[in-house]
């Protein structure tokens, strides 16, 4: 806004390109290897599009259309240039300057450097003065050589070893519930939902960080991880976060790609108070900061992460906290200007949580992949984030499970949905329900296998024989019996036989490593192992009785064991993808409820 001299603007941009070799760099192949190719200084053209003749409403719409088109236009890394500028005249005293840089030669910090230098140089050239900027102490190429020499040998190995330890066993993906199936490759359209954090909430969150020896960044990251962990139903999440990477004073005035990405692993397990979660996040971040020099792409190589074209590796959600700079600039001899990020219309990650700290508090935005999420879904997520931040600010010493993210009306609606039509069902042990069905229709098909069928009558007879044998081994109510069998008629007969003997089955996957099988046997307290004859070696070292599932079994009266509906029916173990496998104890009542709910 204000009078603009396009010639002085063009000279100022040309001087910036001359000062910073990164803006004159192309990327080609030399002797079969990728290389930086720096062009000599030269003129820099800023094409002008005059929109002043258009009606005011069409003028702004056309400016935004041209801005979006410019943001989507690709760069040719080999031919360059990797900085483009275009000027749009909206009126005699109103212009839009479009600056588009490839990320390989720039980052967010660089944008601030560029705007400060542009303002200083434009004012000087407008007055006919030389550049007021001091000569740069080094160029980006010098930094690149230093980084390669510094990050080698023992230093590189120590950094790489830290990240291998830090991310070993981390969840392979953040499984957020999406509105559409994930496409086979990334590259969907991006969208944004803005959220305003109340000033009182922002102030209390900042005070919480100071009280706990943490920063606002750490506090917001912990709260964001809690939100995403709930959405994904995960006790661990990995978030990406950018770090400036300018660890030496000489780098602060350079335009170039210095930013690095840190993967922050957040442990939400154990339902701790939020203050304890904040302490966990603080320790993780301090360790990550101490090992920030290794480029993230090298971390991905070191981890040997299986690559999925439909997901970004290591993490799928990014967390960002930005300062509130970037307001109005210019003035004096030149026009006043306000920077406005234009974006490319593409989503870099499934979800990015962006917080901006300013004088009045905090602003937030959720940038998301519109190919995965509907706008209404992300709007609801934004509301959940706000309420979670309010809950943390109000009482950070509450356990995570007590920090609600639901609005009162949403909570009432969910509770009302849970109190829908009720249906009574027989409160009986599960094997009683099976026996009733077997007596009603013994010839009905109970299961189909690749090599035949199994009727209810056949399953009843086989399970009765197994139950008699197990009772002879002392199996009765609450006694856990490990069941080692592949998918087969014997597996079904074994499950039902254990229940008919009064016991509870603990299924074991024959394809699991022997170490996992041994761990489940120990943890479950199983006293008897019922196994297919060719499989007992998978459970070598088991100290209890081993009963063959398919062997000759004694005949006699079928057992008639009554167990209460609350008695244990089976113990099923989790995958252990976020820690040691855990056994879930399921009573007969819950199994009967499931059977009747499915009918």
């Amino acid at each position: 806004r204000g009078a603009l001299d396009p010639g002085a603007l063009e000279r100022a941009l040309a001087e910036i390109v001359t000062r910073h070799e990164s803006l004159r760099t192309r990327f080609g192949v030399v002797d079969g290897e990728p290389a930086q190719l720096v062009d000599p200084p030269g003129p820099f053209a800023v094409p002008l599009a005059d929109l002043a003749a258009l009606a005011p409403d069409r003028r702004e719409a056309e400016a935004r259309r041209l801005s979006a088109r410019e943001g989507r236009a690709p760069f040719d890394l080999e031919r360059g240039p990797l900085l483009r500028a275009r000027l749009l005249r909206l009126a005699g005293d109103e212009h839009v300057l479009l600056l588009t840089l490839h990320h390989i030669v720039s980052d967010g910090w660089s944008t601030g450097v560029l705007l400060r230098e542009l303002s200083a140089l434009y004012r000087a050239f407008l007055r006919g003065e030389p550049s007021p900027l001091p000569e740069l102490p080094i160029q980006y190429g010098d930094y690149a050589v230093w980084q390669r020499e510094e990050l080698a040998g023992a230093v590189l190995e120590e950094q790489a070893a830290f990240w291998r330890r830090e991310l070993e066993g981390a969840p392979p993906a953040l499984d957020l519930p999406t509105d559409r199936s994930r496409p086979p490759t990334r590259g969907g359209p991006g969208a944004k939902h803005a959220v305003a954090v109340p000033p009182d909430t922002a102030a209390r969150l900042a005070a919480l960080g100071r009280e706990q020896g943490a920063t606002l960044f750490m506090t917001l990251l912990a709260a964001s991880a809690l939100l995403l962990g709930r959405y994904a139903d995960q006790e661990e999440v990995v978030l990406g976060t950018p770090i400036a990477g300018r660890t030496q004073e000489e780098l602060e005035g350079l335009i170039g790609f210095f930013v690095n990405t840190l993967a922050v692993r957040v442990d939400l397990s154990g339902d701790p108070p939020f203050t304890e979660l904040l302490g966990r996040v603080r320790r993780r971040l301090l360790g990550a900061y101490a090992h920030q020099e290794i480029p993230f792409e090298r971390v991905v190589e070191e981890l040997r992460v299986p690559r999925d074209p439909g997901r970004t590796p290591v993490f799928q959600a990014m967390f960002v906290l930005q300062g509130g700079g970037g307001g109005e600039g210019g003035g004096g001899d030149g026009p006043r200007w306000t920077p406005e990020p234009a974006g490319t219309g593409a989503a870099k990650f499934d979800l990015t949580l962006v917080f901006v700290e300013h004088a009045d508090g905090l602003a937030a935005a959720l940038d998301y992949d519109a190919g995965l999420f509907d706008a209404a879904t992300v709007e609801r997520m934004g509301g959940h984030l706000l309420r979670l931040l309010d809950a943390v600010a109000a009482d950070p010493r509450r356990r995570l499970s007590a920090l609600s993210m639901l609005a009162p009306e949403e909570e009432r609606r969910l509770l009302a949905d849970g109190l829908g039509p009720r249906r009574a069902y027989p409160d009986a042990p599960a094997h009683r329900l099976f026996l009733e069905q077997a007596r009603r229709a013994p010839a009905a098909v109970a299961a189909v296998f690749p090599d035949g069928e199994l009727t209810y009558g056949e399953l009843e007879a086989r399970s009765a024989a197994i139950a008699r044998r197990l009772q002879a081994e002392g199996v009765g109510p609450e006694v856990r019996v490990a069941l080692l069998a592949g998918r087969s008629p014997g597996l079904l007969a074994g499950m039902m036989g254990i229940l008919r003997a009064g016991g509870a089955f603990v299924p074991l996957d024959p394809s699991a490593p022997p170490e996992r099988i041994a761990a489940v046997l120990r943890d479950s307290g199983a006293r008897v192992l019922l196994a297919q004859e060719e499989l007992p070696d998978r459970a070598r070292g088991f100290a209890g009785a081993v009963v063959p599932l398919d062997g000759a079994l004694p005949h006699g009266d079928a057992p008639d064991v009554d167990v209460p509906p609350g008695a244990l029916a089976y113990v099923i173990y989790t995958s252990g993808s976020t820690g040691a496998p855990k056994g879930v104890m399921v009573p007969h009542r819950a199994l009967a409820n499931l059977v009747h709910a499915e009918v």
Side-chain angles (χ1 to χ4, degrees):
R1 296 179 303 280
L4 178 71
D5 182 334
L9 178 69
E10 200 167 72
R11 282 186 60 207
L13 283 168
E15 176 62 21
I16 292 172
V17 173
T18 297
R19 280 173 55 77
H20 296 274
E21 288 183 357
S22 57
L23 300 181
R24 292 182 277 117
T25 299
R26 299 176 289 110
F27 295 85
V29 177
V30 177
D31 297 329
E33 295 290 334
Q36 300 181 49
L37 308 173
V38 180
D39 290 331
F44 186 83
V46 184
L48 172 67
D50 196 339
L51 310 180
L54 299 176
D57 56 338
R58 286 193 57 208
R59 195 181 303 156
E60 180 163 350
E62 179 65 5
R64 293 196 176 276
R65 186 189 72 82
L66 291 173
S67 173
R69 189 179 74 178
E70 180 69 16
R72 288 193 299 270
F75 286 93
D76 187 328
L77 290 176
E78 194 165 7
R79 295 180 60 188
L82 301 185
L83 163 66
R84 296 194 299 257
R86 188 173 185 185
L87 189 63
L88 311 178
R89 178 182 288 129
L90 305 185
D93 59 353
E94 188 175 1
H95 294 76
V96 173
L97 174 63
L98 303 178
L99 295 171
T100 313
L101 296 91
H102 196 289
H103 213 334
I104 201 170
V105 296
S106 179
D107 55 20
W109 184 302
S110 298
T111 303
V113 173
L114 190 153
L115 293 179
R116 288 193 300 272
E117 292 194 354
L118 179 60
S119 183
L121 289 167
Y122 176 83
R123 288 197 302 269
F125 292 163
L126 196 63
R127 296 192 295 263
E129 299 172 356
S131 168
L133 302 177
E135 187 176 346
L136 293 171
I138 62 171
Q139 290 289 340
Y140 188 85
D142 303 320
Y143 163 77
V145 171
W146 171 85
Q147 184 190 46
R148 176 162 295 192
E149 291 175 348
E150 186 74 11
L151 199 62
V155 175
L156 176 61
E157 177 51 34
E158 192 273 332
Q159 294 251 337
F162 168 84
W163 287 107
R164 288 195 296 267
R165 292 191 305 270
E166 182 73 359
L167 296 173
E168 182 182 8
L174 180 68
D175 284 324
L176 297 174
T178 60
D179 295 302
R180 282 169 292 282
S181 298
R182 183 177 297 275
T185 57
R186 285 192 48 74
K192 180 189 294 285
H193 173 71
V195 177
V197 181
D200 180 58
T201 299
R204 283 186 291 171
L205 291 172
L208 168 63
R210 290 192 296 271
E211 174 194 308
Q212 297 295 316
T215 61
L216 179 62
F217 176 91
M218 295 171 180
T219 306
L220 293 173
L221 190 148
S224 299
L226 176 57
L227 173 80
L228 298 178
R230 286 184 177 178
Y231 262 80
D233 193 22
Q234 293 179 199
E235 289 190 331
E236 269 197 322
V237 298
V238 179
L239 294 178
T241 190
I243 190 166
R246 299 180 188 239
T247 52
Q248 285 82 34
E249 184 180 355
E250 295 86 350
L251 306 180
E252 294 182 359
L254 287 183
I255 293 175
F257 184 82
F258 296 91
V259 70
N260 196 13
T261 301
L262 302 180
V264 184
R265 185 175 181 176
V266 182
D267 177 11
L268 302 165
S269 65
D271 194 24
F274 184 83
T275 48
E276 182 179 326
L277 173 64
L278 180 54
R280 295 178 185 179
V281 168
R282 179 180 180 275
R283 288 188 292 274
R284 292 279 191 181
L285 275 169
L286 291 178
Y289 293 154
H291 299 84
Q292 63 173 283
E293 285 81 9
I294 183 170
F296 178 69
E297 56 268 26
R298 183 60 183 265
V299 172
V300 174
E301 291 176 12
E302 291 289 334
L303 295 174
R304 294 183 173 85
V305 179
R307 302 304 289 268
D308 177 356
R311 295 182 191 268
T312 51
V314 182
F315 64 87
Q316 293 78 47
M318 174 74 86
F319 172 85
V320 179
L321 174 61
Q322 298 174 342
E328 280 203 355
D333 298 332
R336 298 200 62 79
W337 47 263
T338 304
E340 180 180 336
T344 62
K348 296 183 176 68
F349 302 96
D350 292 359
L351 185 69
T352 301
L353 292 89
V354 181
F355 290 86
V356 179
E357 192 176 8
H358 51 74
D360 299 326
L362 279 175
L366 280 71
D367 295 344
Y368 61 97
D369 187 333
L372 296 176
F373 302 102
D374 289 336
T377 298
V378 179
E379 182 179 359
R380 186 164 58 249
M381 185 184 294
H384 290 160
L385 174 62
L386 269 184
R387 284 182 283 277
L388 197 54
L389 292 174
D390 285 339
V392 168
D395 190 355
R397 288 166 179 79
R398 299 183 77 182
R399 293 193 176 275
L400 301 185
S401 59
L403 297 171
S404 176
M405 65 182 193
L406 302 178
E409 64 275 11
E410 190 176 13
E411 192 167 341
R412 283 193 297 271
R413 186 171 66 251
L414 289 171
L415 290 173
D417 288 345
L419 296 175
R422 299 174 68 87
R423 185 174 65 174
Y425 63 90
D427 198 9
H431 60 279
R432 289 283 175 212
L433 303 177
F434 161 72
L435 290 173
E436 290 172 8
Q437 170 66 10
R439 292 185 187 111
R440 279 195 302 267
V445 175
V448 177
F449 295 90
D451 54 352
E453 298 176 343
L454 186 68
T455 67
Y456 276 95
E458 292 166 339
L459 182 55
E460 190 279 329
R462 294 186 63 171
S463 63
I466 292 171
R468 286 192 296 272
R469 176 64 185 273
L470 292 175
Q471 284 185 317
E473 296 290 345
V475 174
E478 300 295 328
V479 173
R480 296 160 201 176
V481 179
L483 178 57
L484 183 60
R487 290 174 178 259
S488 63
L491 176 65
L492 292 181
M495 291 165 60
M496 198 55 61
I498 295 169
L499 295 178
R500 293 183 68 179
F505 62 86
V506 182
L508 301 172
D509 182 358
S511 65
E515 294 80 7
R516 178 183 170 98
I517 292 174
V520 171
L521 285 170
R522 282 195 308 271
D523 188 71
S524 66
R527 287 165 37 187
V528 178
L529 172 63
L530 183 63
Q532 288 176 325
E533 290 190 37
E534 68 274 16
L535 293 175
D537 279 352
R538 301 289 294 165
R540 188 178 292 114
F542 177 66
V546 178
V547 176
L549 180 61
D550 303 318
L553 297 164
H555 295 283
D557 295 333
D560 188 15
V561 179
D562 256 330
V563 293
L568 186 63
Y570 66 92
V571 182
I572 189 77
Y573 276 76
T574 61
S575 66
S577 58
T578 60
K582 301 174 183 66
V584 180
M585 303 169 71
V586 181
H588 279 267
R589 178 178 287 122
L591 185 53
N593 183 23
L594 176 64
V595 169
H596 284 277
E598 295 292 333
V599 173

